[in-house]
């Protein structure tokens, strides 16, 4: 039996084309017959379910990413700053006060953050686009890998995404309506983005540029809105500024480590690579734009729109995107297109808002179908991805974080409090050792020995790390217990290369017994 059916123009398709056409017609009816809140809720619930499945399968052969372990260390104590600004640590502390310390819960946090970012982006899109264009744009955002495939762990890059989108939402509302509450929220969310990562300085630059350009600028500055916005930003960021001024050693050291002095030619190449990488991330939204068959008038209206709000969107998208590449030419630093995770919420307004483009229910349904097909294809590939990570992944230690943590706690006979050793394995242990923190000084230093005497110490060395093994041997007279283990991990009949570890547990110093005369 063959599948056949007419399309909207009366042409008869057979096989896959007819099936696709029927799915498109079903999508059109769903869009036409349901309230947009119902549609978007269904889309986001499906997004969470499908990508949760992808994360669970594609990471089944490895343990939680070491970025999550680092965030769990921060989450052990509240502070206004860590190595990074504090928002990631706060979110992890809140999340894992409710959910168990399990890999599925970490995956759920990651996909929930992306879904919230898309939900906020939807409100932003609906402020400027009709229902069909906003749906078209939402599907386009869902096919930017930074929202899903590359959002496997909630780190300082993608933790900014929902807050960046919210800052744009309320800034554009304040610019248009001059509302004090919108202005206050715009400033507050901009500073919350900064509390995710200092990359948000480019959001502030974009907002400042947008505030100084375009029709209505004088009206905006004569209203209370920009000043209320500044107050909202200052209130939220002030505690972190105080922390930077008083306790920011680790954060400053990390910021300094990002600086990478190179020649002008190398910096130019890095900036070009960054821009090309950013464009590569949005290739599907660009294909969506071309699929609308834009006329010459549509091209002109998209490249430089006459509408003031759309010009604001252009500025708020392009300035934060391009200024990092220009800064890199003056102060070369570790620049990568993956850091653009939060930058794209306005992209659908820039690409699809022109009235010269026809974006009807059929176009929205086709975009939804394309999103479904691509997403299901990626999910279908998740077992292959898991096998690849196991047998030829970039981090061979990631398959063994949990195994090593269990061996260490068994050897210690008590919860581990301090850890040191080979960075590749130690960085992934804190997620599985709830009370553990990295020893931030040398274990053989006076400070390191004092900390070890108070809390004990776990030293894990990868086979072949002679300096680490020598450090562990130095604690032989302190009652240290050592074991070695060669570990493998299997998934769907595939096994990881064997990895050997030396695990040493140094006990706390015994307190001298009290004596009585």
């Amino acid at each position: 039996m063959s599948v056949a059916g007419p399309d909207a123009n009366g042409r008869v398709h057979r096989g896959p084309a007819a099936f696709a056409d029927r799915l498109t017609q079903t999508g059109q009816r769903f869009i036409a017959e349901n309230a947009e809140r119902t549609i978007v809720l269904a889309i986001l619930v499906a997004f969470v379910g499908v990508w949760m499945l992808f994360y669970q399968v594609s990471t089944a052969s490895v343990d939680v990413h070491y970025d999550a372990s680092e965030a769990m260390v921060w989450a052990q104590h509240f502070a206004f700053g860590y190595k990074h600004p504090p928002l990631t640590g706060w979110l992890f502390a809140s999340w894992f006060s409710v959910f168990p310390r399990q890999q599925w819960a970490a995956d759920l946090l990651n996909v929930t953050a992306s879904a919230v970012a898309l939900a906020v982006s939807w409100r932003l899109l609906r402020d400027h686009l009709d229902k069909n264009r906003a749906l078209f744009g939402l599907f386009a955002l869902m096919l930017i890998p930074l929202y899903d495939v590359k959002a496997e762990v909630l780190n300082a890059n993608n933790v900014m995404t929902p807050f960046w989108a919210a800052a744009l939402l309320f800034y554009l509302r304040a610019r248009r309506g001059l509302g004090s509450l919108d202005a206050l929220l715009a400033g507050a969310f901009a500073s919350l983005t900064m509390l995710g990562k200092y990359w948000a300085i480019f959001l502030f630059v974009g907002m400042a540029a947008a505030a100084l350009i375009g029709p209505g600028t004088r009206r905006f500055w004569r209203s209370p809105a920009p000043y209320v916005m500044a107050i909202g930003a200052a209130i939220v960021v002030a505690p972190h500024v105080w922390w930077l001024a008083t306790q920011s050693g680790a954060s400053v050291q990390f910021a300094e480590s990002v600086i990478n002095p190179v020649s002008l030619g190398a910096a130019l190449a890095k900036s070009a690579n960054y821009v090309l990488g950013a464009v590569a991330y949005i290739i599907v939204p660009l294909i969506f734009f071309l699929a609308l068959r834009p006329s010459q008038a549509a091209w002109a209206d998209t490249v430089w729109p006459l509408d003031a709000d759309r010009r604001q969107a252009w500025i708020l998208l392009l300035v934060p995107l391009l200024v990092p590449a220009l800064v890199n030419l003056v102060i070369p630093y570790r620049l990568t297109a993956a850091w653009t995770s939060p930058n794209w919420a306005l992209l659908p307004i820039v690409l699809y808002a022109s009235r010269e483009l026809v974006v009807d229910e059929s176009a929205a349904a086709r975009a939804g179908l394309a999103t479904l097909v691509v997403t299901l294809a990626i999910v279908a590939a998740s077992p292959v991805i898991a096998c690849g990570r196991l047998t030829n992944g970039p981090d061979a230690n990631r398959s063994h974080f949990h195994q090593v943590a269990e061996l260490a706690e068994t050897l210690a006979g008590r919860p581990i409090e301090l850890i040191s050793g080979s960075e590749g394995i130690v960085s992934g242990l804190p997620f599985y050792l709830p009370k553990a923190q990295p020893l931030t000084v040398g274990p053989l230093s006076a400070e390191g020995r004092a900390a070890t005497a108070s809390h004990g110490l776990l030293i894990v060395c990868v086979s072949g790390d002679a300096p680490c093994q020598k450090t562990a041997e130095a604690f032989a007279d302190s009652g240290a217990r050592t074991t070695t283990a060669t570990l493998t991990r299997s998934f769907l009949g595939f096994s990881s290369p064997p990895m050997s570890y030396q695990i040493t547990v140094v006990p706390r110093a015994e307190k001298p017994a009290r004596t009585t005369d």
Side-chain angles (χ1 to χ4, degrees):
M1 184 179 73
S2 63
V3 179
D7 63 14
N9 297 316
R11 294 187 297 268
V12 176
H13 296 293
R14 297 183 182 277
F19 182 61
D21 189 63
R22 287 187 178 183
L23 287 178
T24 300
Q25 292 175 17
T26 301
Q28 285 180 252
R29 289 194 298 270
F30 181 72
I31 293 171
E33 295 171 2
N34 289 277
E36 61 184 65
R37 180 176 297 182
T38 301
I39 298 169
V40 174
L41 181 61
I43 291 171
L44 295 179
V45 168
F47 178 89
V48 170
V50 170
W51 287 106
M52 185 68 180
L53 175 62
F54 172 80
Y55 292 150
Q56 285 284 282
V57 177
S58 66
T59 63
S61 60
V62 294
D63 291 324
V64 172
H65 193 274
Y66 55 80
D67 278 352
S69 271
E70 183 177 48
M72 292 302 289
V73 172
W74 301 339
Q76 290 180 23
H77 66 283
F78 179 84
F80 289 116
Y82 307 98
K83 186 183 83 173
H84 282 295
L87 188 58
T88 304
W90 294 350
L91 289 176
F92 268 73
S94 300
W95 186 265
F96 287 100
S97 68
V98 176
F99 291 95
R101 207 179 181 105
Q102 300 289 333
Q103 185 159 354
W104 68 263
D107 291 339
L108 184 60
L109 173 59
N110 305 337
V111 73
T112 299
S114 292
V116 170
L118 290 170
V120 177
S121 297
W122 167 258
R123 289 310 323 154
L124 175 61
L125 299 184
R126 281 299 281 127
D127 276 3
H128 302 273
L129 303 176
D130 61 41
K131 175 182 172 181
N132 291 326
R133 291 172 195 273
L135 283 172
F136 193 89
L138 184 63
F139 289 130
L141 288 178
M142 290 169 66
L143 289 178
I144 296 176
L146 296 168
Y147 283 89
D148 35 60
V149 176
K150 298 285 286 183
E152 177 192 319
V153 61
L154 188 69
N155 57 26
N157 293 322
N158 51 30
V159 76
M160 296 181 289
T161 306
F163 300 97
W164 188 301
L168 296 174
L169 169 68
F170 291 110
Y171 168 81
L172 288 170
R173 287 182 177 180
R175 177 61 187 254
R176 183 172 58 250
L178 306 181
S180 293
L181 179 58
D182 289 331
L184 185 70
L185 291 173
F189 277 112
S191 282
L192 282 169
T193 309
M194 181 74 78
L195 295 184
K197 188 175 181 179
Y198 297 136
W199 179 262
I201 189 66
F202 299 119
L203 170 63
F204 279 86
V205 172
M207 292 171 68
L212 296 171
I213 298 174
T217 299
R218 182 175 300 180
R219 170 176 170 266
F220 178 67
W221 283 99
R222 286 180 173 176
S223 76
Y227 313 104
V228 174
M229 198 177 297
I231 291 171
I235 290 172
V236 172
V237 82
H240 182 64
V241 173
W242 170 81
W243 178 86
L244 280 173
T246 58
Q247 309 176 48
S248 60
S251 184
V252 170
Q253 290 174 10
F254 179 78
E256 290 173 346
S257 73
V258 171
I259 304 299
N260 183 29
V262 295
S263 67
L264 178 60
L268 185 63
K270 181 175 287 187
S271 291
N273 190 56
Y274 159 80
V275 173
L276 291 174
V279 172
Y281 276 128
I282 61 167
I283 192 66
V284 174
L286 294 176
I287 291 173
F288 275 21
F289 175 76
L290 295 177
L292 296 174
R293 299 181 180 180
S295 64
Q296 186 174 353
W299 276 101
D301 189 41
T302 301
V303 170
W304 189 241
L306 297 178
D307 179 78
D309 285 345
R310 290 173 56 207
R311 285 194 181 184
Q312 286 279 298
W314 250 117
I315 295 167
L316 289 165
L317 175 67
L318 288 184
V319 171
L321 195 62
L322 296 180
V323 168
L326 299 177
V327 170
N328 182 67
L329 300 179
V330 181
I331 307 175
Y333 61 103
R334 198 172 74 226
L335 180 64
T336 170
W339 290 355
T340 66
S341 295
N343 285 66
W344 301 112
L346 287 169
L347 183 65
I349 297 174
V350 169
L351 289 181
Y352 313 131
S354 174
R355 290 298 171 183
E356 301 294 333
L357 295 170
V358 177
V359 185
D360 53 15
E361 289 169 354
S362 176
R366 288 196 298 272
L369 177 60
T371 302
L372 177 64
V373 170
V374 172
T375 301
L376 291 180
I378 295 172
V379 172
S382 57
V384 178
I385 295 171
C387 291
R389 283 174 163 165
L390 185 70
T391 59
N392 196 31
D395 184 2
N397 293 301
R398 191 178 169 189
S399 296
H400 308 300
F401 294 151
H402 196 186
Q403 291 172 303
V404 169
E406 288 183 334
L407 288 171
E409 285 208 312
T410 300
L411 184 64
R414 59 181 299 274
I416 303 293
E417 295 182 31
L418 284 178
I419 55 177
S420 185
S422 303
E423 178 66 21
I425 184 64
V426 168
S427 63
L429 297 182
F431 188 88
Y432 300 100
L433 299 172
K435 294 186 177 182
Q437 294 197 27
L439 181 63
T440 57
V441 297
L444 300 181
S445 67
E447 297 90 339
R449 287 188 177 276
T452 300
S454 298
H455 303 282
L457 180 64
L458 167 66
I459 304 174
V460 182
C461 305
V462 175
S463 176
D465 187 347
C468 176
Q469 293 169 346
K470 186 176 180 180
T471 297
E473 291 168 2
F475 286 96
D477 294 336
S478 301
R481 298 187 295 276
T482 298
T483 186
T484 58
T486 299
L487 304 175
T488 60
R489 184 164 172 170
S490 298
F491 179 75
L492 296 181
F494 292 85
S495 297
S496 66
M499 292 290 293
S500 296
Y501 302 97
Q502 176 183 292
I503 304 170
T504 299
V505 172
V506 184
R508 293 181 297 185
E510 293 291 337
K511 294 182 179 180
R514 291 185 178 182
T515 60
T516 58
D517 294 333

